[in-house]
Amino acid sequence: MEMALYILSILKHNIGIVLSWGFHNPVPVENGLRFNVQGFNHTGKVEILYDEGWDMFSVRILNSDGSLKEEQEGIYIDGLVECVDRLVEWCPNYEERVRGAYNL
């Protein structure tokens, strides 16, 4: 539970980006946090797990059945939000997709 709260505190430092993912339903998991997203690249579950031995994080993108879709390992704390954003939300035509999604 303590690591889940720590990861939440990291995410809150970039709350605008995190909210753009459609972040919801955070749940503590062993050594990490699982939550749901609704991004342009991925809609479903994301896990952030802490590796104490390396003092780094792993970001896991999960399929709807819970199986592993993609994983990025060796993420430092200062690159955590950027890594999740790249996997969940960012796409080459991001600005265009945002304008279209929100009729801007």
Side-chain angles (χ1 to χ4, degrees), residues 6-96:
Y6 179 62
I7 292 170
L8 273 173
S9 75
I10 295 167
L11 298 179
K12 285 181 182 180
H13 284 285
N14 292 290
I15 196 67
I17 294 171
V18 172
L19 292 176
S20 77
W21 307 334
F23 175 93
H24 62 286
N25 297 333
V27 176
V29 296
E30 185 176 345
N31 245 5
L33 180 72
R34 180 184 304 134
F35 51 90
N36 290 1
V37 296
Q38 295 172 317
F40 288 134
N41 290 332
H42 177 69
T43 295
K45 295 186 184 334
V46 174
E47 283 184 346
I48 299 176
L49 305 173
Y50 179 64
D51 183 334
E52 188 174 350
W54 289 99
D55 193 24
M56 294 179 163
F57 294 89
S58 294
V59 175
R60 302 177 76 207
I61 304 299
L62 305 176
N63 292 309
S64 58
D65 65 0
S67 63
L68 183 64
K69 178 178 177 181
E70 187 171 354
E71 182 173 23
Q72 296 285 310
E73 297 176 306
I75 309 301
Y76 290 107
I77 188 174
D78 61 346
L80 191 56
V81 171
E82 180 183 333
C83 177
V84 176
D85 191 55
R86 185 173 21 82
L87 294 170
V88 168
E89 186 71 1
W90 195 87
C91 53
N93 58 344
Y94 180 76
E95 304 271 335
E96 182 181 321

